[in-house]
Amino acid sequence: MKTFTNPKALVENLHYQEQRQKSLAGLSDDMIDVPIVKLINFFNKLPYCFTMQSCYGHFLYNGQKDPYNFRPLPATNTIARVEYKISYIAFCIENSDSGRCLLEALKKIVVIDPENIQFCCAEWFWKRQVNSYVLQVEPDRFKQEDRAKFDYKEALNIEKIRNEFFIQIEKLLQKQQD
């Protein structure tokens, strides 16, 4: 199944409010990666947006096999290869003036690092929920994957980009709530 596709245009969705209520009714903080609970809750307070899935992004390497590890990569020269579980937020936007403004603002997050951040649609999300989009941190060459393996130096760079990615999204969402 194709995952990464270019962003689609917003379409009319007469069932947005009930889909939003249903999605949020099934969500609790313990289902969200701890470092991004506040951020996901920011998204879900906006009446013209709701999240569908998210992942903080996890680094696995020799000595660290916990698939939900949140610790920063250690400062070391003993790690050669790192497996990275993608950082992303999948969300649905209402086709409204506020929704369109948010969508345009979220598209700009990519400027943090266009080679490693993508704004896209995931075909399987869109089939479940129209007007769904994904912001992800993943080296461009792996943008179709939900995992990637690369050297430690690149992992350090991706970690730095991931951290800035979440900081900038939170700032953007705080402006939306003002």
Side-chain angles (χ1 to χ4, degrees):
M1 184 178 297
K2 191 169 185 181
T3 55
F4 179 95
T5 58
N6 289 325
K8 299 179 182 200
L10 284 168
V11 298
E12 191 61 36
N13 180 2
L14 300 176
H15 305 287
Y16 171 82
Q17 288 301 330
E18 61 197 64
Q19 291 166 341
R20 182 179 189 281
Q21 287 176 332
K22 183 178 178 182
S23 180
L24 295 181
L27 182 64
S28 62
D29 286 356
D30 63 334
M31 299 167 71
I32 305 167
D33 287 342
V34 172
I36 58 172
V37 168
K38 181 180 170 185
L39 177 76
I40 298 304
N41 286 329
F42 271 151
F43 261 110
N44 291 326
K45 286 179 186 174
L46 301 173
Y48 45 89
C49 178
F50 64 90
T51 59
M52 298 168 59
Q53 279 187 9
S54 61
C55 183
Y56 180 63
H58 310 282
F59 296 95
L60 307 174
Y61 48 89
N62 194 16
Q64 176 49 266
K65 299 296 182 192
D66 178 3
Y68 302 105
N69 170 44
F70 300 126
R71 287 187 215 111
L73 287 165
T76 183
N77 61 0
T78 61
I79 299 171
R81 302 284 293 165
V82 175
E83 180 179 0
Y84 170 64
K85 290 174 59 179
I86 187 174
S87 301
Y88 73 95
I89 302 174
F91 47 88
C92 178
I93 302 277
E94 181 182 43
N95 189 358
S96 64
D97 288 342
S98 295
R100 285 186 290 279
C101 286
L102 176 62
L103 185 63
E104 291 308 310
L106 288 168
K107 287 178 182 179
K108 294 176 183 170
I109 292 293
V110 173
V111 302
I112 296 167
D113 190 320
E115 293 179 18
N116 293 295
I117 300 175
Q118 298 87 35
F119 180 85
C120 58
C121 286
E123 198 61 40
W124 69 278
F125 276 129
W126 195 275
K127 287 179 180 177
R128 274 189 11 211
Q129 179 67 61
V130 298
N131 299 336
S132 60
Y133 300 89
V134 179
L135 264 168
Q136 64 184 33
V137 178
E138 183 86 300
D140 195 60
R141 68 189 185 280
F142 298 113
K143 68 184 175 188
Q144 298 281 350
E145 309 297 326
D146 60 1
R147 292 175 182 250
K149 290 183 181 180
F150 35 72
D151 68 35
Y152 178 73
K153 184 177 178 183
E154 184 173 10
L156 286 172
N157 186 49
I158 294 299
E159 180 182 51
K160 180 179 148 201
I161 294 164
R162 177 206 58 192
N163 295 344
E164 185 63 22
F165 169 81
F166 285 122
I167 289 167
Q168 292 307 314
I169 291 174
E170 187 170 331
K171 286 179 181 179
L172 182 150
L173 293 175
Q174 285 173 339
K175 289 179 186 176
Q176 294 286 314
Q177 292 181 344
D178 292 340

